[in-house]
Amino acid sequence: MNYENIIGLVAGLITSASMLPQLIKVIKEKDASYLSLAMICILIIGLCFWVYYGFLIHELPIILSNGFAVLVNSTLLGCYFLYRSKK
Amino acid sequence: MNYENIIGLVAGLITSASMLPQLIKVIKEKDASYLSLAMICILIIGLCFWVYYGFLIHELPIILSNGFAVLVNSTLLGCYFLYRSKK
């Protein structure tokens, strides 16, 4: 693994970590009402483009971190519908 | 500009666009109290790593979109302190 990949993985790790508290907060409080459905969907679409881009230029850090971000935001999307129906 | 760069720029444009509503909301309502200072700082650090990574692998889409994200989140950070002191 070369120097660039290490930097990319560190970047991905940090930005991915910064998403988790929001997800934990939504799950703990069982409340996602303050989230914008449109923004989560737009973000997931953008992140899918990043994953596709990562495959095109064969860069693992881009694929892994944006793939993880798709996972986190898809879970947020699920929580949005799950907790909305319970109200 | 090759196909990969176009995909990267589209990805960057979409994920950048998804950040703006939150910034607009904070400025309109002059309230950033619900933001997590720690998360914004961690995110900015991660985004700086992404910009550095973009320079290392000479990929314009990564440099531009993450550079823009650093700008947006630094403005959010500024708003956090600006509106907190006014209360």
Side-chain angles (χ1 to χ4, degrees):
Chain A
M1 185 170 285
N2 59 29
Y3 176 67
E4 288 85 1
N5 274 1
I6 292 168
I7 294 294
L9 286 173
V10 167
L13 213 67
I14 298 175
T15 46
S16 302
S18 71
M19 285 179 215
L20 290 177
Q22 182 178 38
L23 180 60
I24 292 165
K25 187 180 173 207
V26 163
I27 293 172
K28 250 193 203 165
E29 295 172 5
K30 295 201 179 344
D31 173 25
S33 55
Y34 67 92
L35 294 176
S36 157
L37 181 62
M39 283 312 110
I40 299 175
C41 294
I42 291 172
L43 183 57
I44 290 173
I45 293 166
L47 292 168
C48 290
F49 268 98
W50 276 117
V51 175
Y52 176 45
Y53 173 69
F55 278 110
L56 286 176
I57 63 169
H58 313 297
E59 287 292 347
L60 194 63
I62 298 174
I63 298 165
L64 289 180
S65 57
N66 289 289
F68 179 76
V70 168
L71 215 68
V72 169
N73 285 282
S74 306
T75 311
L76 268 180
L77 195 62
C79 290
Y80 182 89
F81 289 111
L82 186 69
Y83 299 139
R84 200 180 58 161
S85 58
K86 283 195 176 171
K87 285 199 178 159
Chain B
M1 186 170 284
N2 58 29
Y3 176 68
E4 287 87 0
N5 274 0
I6 292 168
I7 293 295
L9 287 173
V10 167
L13 213 66
I14 297 175
T15 45
S16 302
S18 72
M19 287 180 216
L20 291 177
Q22 183 179 38
L23 180 60
I24 292 165
K25 186 180 174 207
V26 163
I27 293 171
K28 251 193 203 165
E29 296 172 5
K30 294 203 177 347
D31 173 24
S33 54
Y34 67 93
L35 295 176
S36 156
L37 182 62
M39 282 313 112
I40 299 175
C41 294
I42 290 172
L43 184 57
I44 292 172
I45 293 166
L47 292 168
C48 291
F49 266 98
W50 275 117
V51 174
Y52 176 46
Y53 173 70
F55 278 110
L56 286 176
I57 62 169
H58 313 296
E59 288 292 346
L60 194 63
I62 298 174
I63 299 166
L64 290 179
S65 58
N66 289 288
F68 179 77
V70 168
L71 215 68
V72 169
N73 284 282
S74 305
T75 311
L76 267 180
L77 195 62
C79 289
Y80 181 88
F81 289 111
L82 185 69
Y83 299 140
R84 200 179 58 162
S85 58
K86 284 194 175 173
K87 284 197 176 157

